[in-house]
Amino acid sequence: MRHGLLLALIGSLVVASGSSIASAKAPNILFIVVDDQSPLDLRVYNPQTTLETPQIDRLGASGMVLDAAYHMGSFSGAVCTPSRHMIMTGRTVWHLPIGVGSARHCPADIEQSTLPAVFNQAGYKTMRTCKQGNSYPGANKQFQVVHDATKRGPTAESGSAWHAEQVLNFLKDRAAAKEEAPFLIYYGFSHPHDERDGTPELLEKYGAINYTNRSQPPPLDAHQPPLPAEYLPAHPFPHGHPQLRDEVDVSGVWERRDPATIHNEIGRHHACSENIDIQIGRVLDQLREMGELDNTYIVYTSDHGIAIGRHGLQGKQNLYEHTWRVPMIVSGPGIQPGSRAAGNVYLLDVLATLCDLAEIAAPESNEGLSFKPVLMGQTPVVRDVMYGVYCGGTKPGMRSVRRGDWKLIEYDVLDGQVRQTQLFNLAENPHEFLPQHHDPELQKLVGTSPLPQQTNLADDPRYASELKLMRDLLLAEMRRVDDPFRLWNQPDDGLPAVAPPVKPRPNKPAAAKK
């Protein structure tokens, strides 16, 4: 009897010891998210870019670059708000705790199933630094350590270095306390979102200035980045959101799309992006010094892309690839260095993926797909079809669907005054060139020479069957994700009247005036 009790005691000690060892070896997570960055800004996606980001390049070389990562879309001009809700909840755009359909399609207790809450429950130490506002306060407050502030200035205290300091302090405190629990760090930046007030030395490097004169364009400089291949002096038709702040009131740009303004603004954007790269390097150096880097999954992404002159647009309220797509680079244990895959992932897949990498069960409320099989080289994609929406302006707005090389964008805006269709074969026309890009004078200015087939194919009768297939596919996706709107050329499906969007709650209630 005593012998049996002794064996049981030894067994329990072994189990406890094994559990402790497993906990100590659980992977750390460093999730890096920037604000407003197209994948085309980065060399790992666009070898022609003049932006220098050696740390991000090394992340790509040490891990996997995903070529088809997207945010699902937005029902708000503040595209980052639903985007960041999707990251935190793992839920599709019409199933969030805010927006159209929130009362019908989202659990009331979703805050306890968000990214930080799930990792807290799994024994992780969770920390967050990011901008304030246009996010999900209910999830943000779940982090055990929070240092949020909007930092878009040109100095260490007012810019991206501040966010780095918060992470470095957390890591140094961890080392001093000899903390063994794994960590989840949400390392968010306020840049390169405007105002793009770069540091003086980086602005000089990219030939840019923090320009504030509305009356005339900024000066040209030989060090400024070139115009993007997709540059247009104006979008061919109204995009459906009159007086949108990003298109008419960004300091340094306003409503101008002249080459000098775009050269300068891309230079400002580059200056802010390179500073982010520098701050990432500081944190990676600290992890390396602590011996934690090899057991850390690092994810680099953005909440959405950005236009800055591409297709004659300035903001993130469109569904062209430069804006609908996001960078997605992942390195860490088990990921083949220098690997690449399409992925076909959404930002809303992040929750499921991080849970999978950490061997944590994803919450029942999660709707995303883990792309760990892609990261481990087991499959090139997790889904075949990608759906996108923007309807933060006039309704029903824009919709996009992509399958394989084919992509459709439909516009139904301004109370039916603008109804446009764009059909692209992205293998042949990756820049989504339009007829306007074939203008000889524009080609001289930009240095591009689009081929005849590199254009919008929607009105070409040779592609009528592809157009029909993509329209059918778009309707099927809209039905699948509970899109509450229908376009002019779709059945209404007997949809109920749409309730007004639910505004996100502020981080804190306003103090009462005495």
Side-chain angles (χ1 to χ4, degrees):
M1 184 71 174
R2 290 179 180 176
H3 180 67
L5 288 172
L6 180 61
L7 288 177
L9 177 61
I10 293 173
S12 66
L13 290 172
V14 169
V15 170
S17 175
S19 174
S20 176
I21 292 171
S23 176
K25 290 185 177 180
N28 303 311
I29 308 287
L30 176 64
F31 181 76
I32 306 169
V33 59
V34 303
D35 198 352
D36 287 17
Q37 186 169 73
S38 172
L40 301 181
D41 299 334
L42 304 173
R43 188 155 292 153
V44 294
Y45 292 100
N46 175 16
Q48 282 72 49
T49 187
T50 57
L51 171 60
E52 294 186 3
T53 53
Q55 300 297 333
I56 296 171
D57 294 347
R58 290 190 192 105
L59 282 179
S62 65
M64 175 175 281
V65 176
L66 296 180
D67 288 311
Y70 295 81
H71 74 96
M72 185 173 271
S74 180
F75 41 76
S76 165
V79 178
C80 46
T81 300
S83 173
R84 291 166 187 265
H85 277 71
M86 284 185 270
I87 290 172
M88 288 296 186
T89 64
R91 295 183 66 77
T92 51
V93 67
W94 300 112
H95 290 183
L96 296 174
I98 59 167
V100 177
S102 59
R104 290 175 290 146
H105 296 303
C106 189
D109 60 348
I110 190 66
E111 293 181 4
Q112 298 306 314
S113 297
T114 56
L115 177 65
V118 170
F119 275 79
N120 287 341
Q121 294 157 16
Y124 272 67
K125 186 77 173 179
T126 59
M127 180 268 175
R128 167 191 167 89
T129 183
C130 200
K131 69 172 183 179
Q132 289 181 314
N134 288 347
S135 59
Y136 184 13
N140 301 347
K141 69 183 181 182
Q142 304 296 328
F143 287 92
Q144 297 166 29
V145 178
V146 179
H147 296 290
D148 282 358
T150 300
K151 297 288 183 174
R152 294 183 180 134
T155 66
E157 176 60 26
S158 66
S160 293
W162 186 89
H163 292 297
E165 287 297 328
Q166 311 316 306
V167 177
L168 290 170
N169 291 339
F170 172 81
L171 290 174
K172 290 172 183 176
D173 290 347
R174 172 185 174 84
K178 297 182 180 180
E179 177 71 60
E180 294 186 358
F183 62 73
L184 166 70
I185 297 174
Y186 187 98
Y187 187 11
F189 288 92
S190 309
H191 266 148
H193 187 291
D194 70 276
E195 295 176 2
R196 303 176 181 102
D197 289 341
T199 62
E201 64 275 12
L202 289 174
L203 285 172
E204 182 179 5
K205 175 177 179 176
Y206 292 106
I209 59 174
N210 291 331
Y211 198 62
T212 58
N213 187 346
R214 281 181 178 261
S215 64
Q216 63 185 30
L220 289 169
D221 188 289
H223 297 98
Q224 288 172 343
L227 294 173
E230 304 90 346
Y231 170 77
L232 286 177
H235 195 255
F237 51 86
H239 78 306
H241 196 150
Q243 298 305 305
L244 174 65
R245 178 234 176 233
D246 282 25
E247 296 295 340
V248 303
D249 202 28
V250 171
S251 178
V253 180
W254 301 286
E255 296 183 64
R256 290 200 302 263
R257 300 295 181 269
D258 57 274
T261 297
I262 299 304
H263 280 299
N264 187 70
E265 197 64 16
I266 294 176
R268 296 177 73 192
H269 192 268
H270 279 13
C272 296
S273 295
E274 183 169 343
N275 192 23
I276 287 173
D277 190 76
I278 292 168
Q279 307 312 321
I280 291 172
R282 295 174 65 200
V283 169
L284 296 184
D285 287 345
Q286 180 65 33
L287 288 171
R288 191 176 293 109
E289 181 181 324
M290 294 168 61
E292 302 243 37
L293 188 60
D294 289 343
N295 191 40
T296 300
Y297 285 105
I298 303 168
V299 180
Y300 179 90
T301 191
S302 176
D303 49 4
H304 43 70
I306 194 78
I308 313 184
R310 299 176 178 110
H311 289 93
L313 298 169
Q314 177 64 21
K316 55 261 190 179
Q317 298 83 2
N318 68 84
L319 295 175
Y320 292 111
E321 292 289 284
H322 48 68
T323 300
W324 185 24
R325 282 175 63 196
V326 297
M328 183 67 73
I329 306 166
V330 188
S331 69
I335 300 176
Q336 181 67 33
S339 54
R340 201 167 195 118
N344 283 2
V345 307
Y346 293 117
L347 285 176
L348 66 93
D349 296 327
V350 163
L351 174 57
T353 304
L354 296 185
C355 286
D356 203 358
L357 291 171
E359 298 185 359
I360 297 170
E364 291 184 5
S365 57
N366 168 69
E367 296 177 320
L369 301 178
S370 170
F371 54 88
K372 179 181 177 181
V374 175
L375 298 176
M376 299 303 165
Q378 298 164 0
T379 182
V381 297
V382 293
R383 56 173 63 81
D384 294 327
V385 179
M386 307 301 295
Y387 156 92
V389 53
Y390 179 73
C391 62
T394 54
K395 309 295 188 278
M398 310 172 200
R399 297 296 185 280
S400 184
V401 68
R402 177 181 177 177
R403 181 170 63 185
D405 296 335
W406 288 98
K407 177 181 175 182
L408 174 75
I409 309 178
E410 298 268 37
Y411 302 77
D412 189 352
V413 297
L414 298 177
D415 298 321
Q417 296 178 55
V418 175
R419 288 170 171 167
Q420 294 280 337
T421 300
Q422 294 171 333
L423 180 68
F424 302 109
N425 184 304
L426 294 177
E428 292 188 348
N429 186 12
H431 295 292
E432 297 169 292
F433 286 135
L434 301 172
Q436 291 75 15
H437 288 104
H438 291 254
D439 179 87
E441 294 303 315
L442 180 70
Q443 292 178 37
K444 290 178 185 178
L445 178 65
V446 180
T448 59
S449 298
L451 298 172
Q453 68 271 25
Q454 292 181 315
T455 190
N456 176 16
L457 304 174
D459 294 327
D460 191 327
R462 293 176 296 175
Y463 301 100
S465 61
E466 284 81 3
L467 177 60
K468 183 180 184 308
L469 285 171
M470 295 303 287
R471 280 178 161 167
D472 290 345
L473 187 61
L474 175 60
L475 178 59
E477 281 295 287
M478 291 172 70
R479 287 169 170 164
R480 185 184 67 82
V481 300
D482 291 317
D483 191 322
F485 300 99
R486 291 293 179 265
L487 306 178
W488 84 97
N489 55 4
Q490 296 175 331
D492 63 18
D493 287 345
L495 291 171
V498 176
V502 178
K503 294 182 179 180
R505 295 187 296 259
N507 285 316
K508 294 180 181 179
K513 292 183 179 180
K514 296 182 179 179

